[in-house]
Amino acid sequence: EEFKQLPEIIDKKNEVPDFIKQLNNKFNLIKSISCDNIELILWQNGHKFRLNGSLHYEKSNNFRMEISSFLGKELDIGSNSSNFWYWSRRDKSPGLHYASHDDLNKTRLKTPFNPFFLRSTLGISELEIENCKIVENSNNFMLCYKKLNASDESINFYVFISKNRNQIDSYAITDFGGKPVASCEIQQYNGDIPFKILYTWNEENRVMLMQMNNATLNNSIDSKKWSMPNYKPITNMAESD
């Protein structure tokens, strides 16, 4: 039996199952993930691109993903204790775009550039149990949340968990009407470390397969990774028109 569709968020359980608590205990032991060798295949507008880069995440707010092509750096997405940012070579509005965490819902930030979505879909983050509705079948759990996106609009956020593998299988976002916005499928793990992750951004008609080669858990990460880069011009997304 599988979940045939993304249902409306309804309360199927009044308390958190022990399975979810045990999974969170495992995630609590993971403090960071590092990978200096990620390979990416991006499909967009009928074209296929091969890219490479690095990814570092230190709970709870420190994140950095840098992507390059044969032309040089293409994308820099990150966050630290105060701010989050992105820079893209292909952006129609060049420069560094940033905002404080408190201003996320004012930024209108698209999901592909959202560090919160990227870091929360790596299969190692603790599962929120507050304001969560849980649906269960014989093989899986589905956790369902009501959230706000970067445009302050209501969305549904789903986490799908395999009981047999004791791992997160996928994530999905829909708008409040149920229309798909983005999804993330963790296709393969190496132990507890995600190895192949497939991202789909429906609104942008963009698909990306990310392979994390030789990723490690709980290694020390240079604090310089969490400093905002010095691209110009600098724009506060929460204040821009």
Side-chain angles (χ1 to χ4, degrees):
E1 183 185 4
E2 299 292 340
F3 297 110
K4 299 300 183 182
Q5 60 183 359
L6 299 178
E8 293 183 3
I9 294 181
I10 54 176
D11 193 355
K12 301 295 288 186
K13 284 185 174 292
N14 295 321
E15 60 183 40
V16 180
D18 288 340
F19 180 92
I20 302 299
K21 294 178 181 178
Q22 292 167 7
L23 196 59
N24 264 350
N25 288 337
K26 181 175 74 169
F27 291 152
N28 283 331
L29 297 176
I30 301 175
K31 306 303 181 185
S32 67
I33 184 169
S34 300
C35 186
D36 288 314
N37 182 12
I38 60 174
E39 298 178 35
L40 305 107
I41 302 176
L42 177 68
W43 292 269
Q44 185 174 7
N45 300 324
H47 299 285
K48 178 180 178 180
F49 306 93
R50 291 188 178 274
L51 305 164
N52 58 79
S54 63
L55 183 149
H56 299 86
Y57 172 38
E58 183 180 78
K59 297 177 181 177
S60 59
N61 286 322
N62 292 330
F63 178 83
R64 191 75 176 271
M65 184 176 185
E66 299 173 271
I67 298 175
S68 299
S69 70
F70 67 92
L71 295 174
K73 185 172 288 190
E74 294 283 345
L75 187 64
D76 188 326
I77 298 175
S79 63
N80 55 32
S81 59
S82 302
N83 300 307
F84 61 95
W85 68 85
Y86 85 89
W87 171 88
S88 173
R89 175 192 291 270
R90 311 293 171 175
D91 202 331
K92 294 179 180 178
S93 302
L96 183 72
H97 300 262
Y98 83 100
S100 71
H101 294 292
D102 291 340
D103 288 336
L104 170 64
N105 304 118
K106 302 176 183 178
T107 63
R108 302 185 296 278
L109 182 64
K110 293 292 186 179
T111 309
F113 296 136
N114 191 328
F116 302 100
F117 177 70
L118 290 169
R119 75 190 192 201
S120 67
T121 54
L122 293 173
I124 61 170
S125 293
E126 292 85 346
L127 298 162
E128 297 178 40
I129 57 176
E130 298 294 330
N131 303 312
C132 172
K133 309 304 181 185
I134 301 173
V135 182
E136 180 182 6
N137 64 22
S138 57
N139 298 315
N140 307 286
F141 281 101
M142 180 171 66
L143 279 61
C144 316
Y145 307 87
K146 292 182 179 180
K147 294 181 177 289
L148 294 174
N149 66 11
S151 298
D152 207 31
E153 300 167 336
S154 295
I155 57 171
N156 297 329
F157 184 80
Y158 303 88
V159 184
F160 298 88
I161 304 167
S162 167
K163 292 181 180 178
N164 295 331
R165 290 187 298 278
N166 194 31
Q167 291 173 327
I168 295 174
D169 277 344
S170 60
Y171 304 81
I173 297 175
T174 71
D175 66 19
F176 207 57
K179 181 180 178 181
V181 174
S183 64
C184 167
E185 177 189 355
I186 304 178
Q187 297 184 334
Q188 186 177 341
Y189 284 86
N190 282 338
D192 289 328
I193 302 176
F195 178 59
K196 285 188 178 180
I197 306 177
L198 182 69
Y199 289 96
T200 301
W201 293 283
N202 303 82
E203 293 178 321
E204 292 78 16
N205 193 27
R206 181 183 301 178
V207 177
M208 182 178 76
L209 178 63
M210 179 171 71
Q211 180 171 302
M212 301 178 64
N213 299 310
N214 303 314
T216 58
L217 300 178
N218 295 335
N219 281 356
S220 178
I221 303 173
D222 188 344
S223 60
K224 293 179 181 178
K225 285 287 183 187
W226 321 132
S227 298
M228 280 204 305
N230 191 30
Y231 302 109
K232 303 294 184 181
I234 300 176
T235 302
N236 187 330
M237 292 181 284
E239 297 176 355
S240 59
D241 295 330

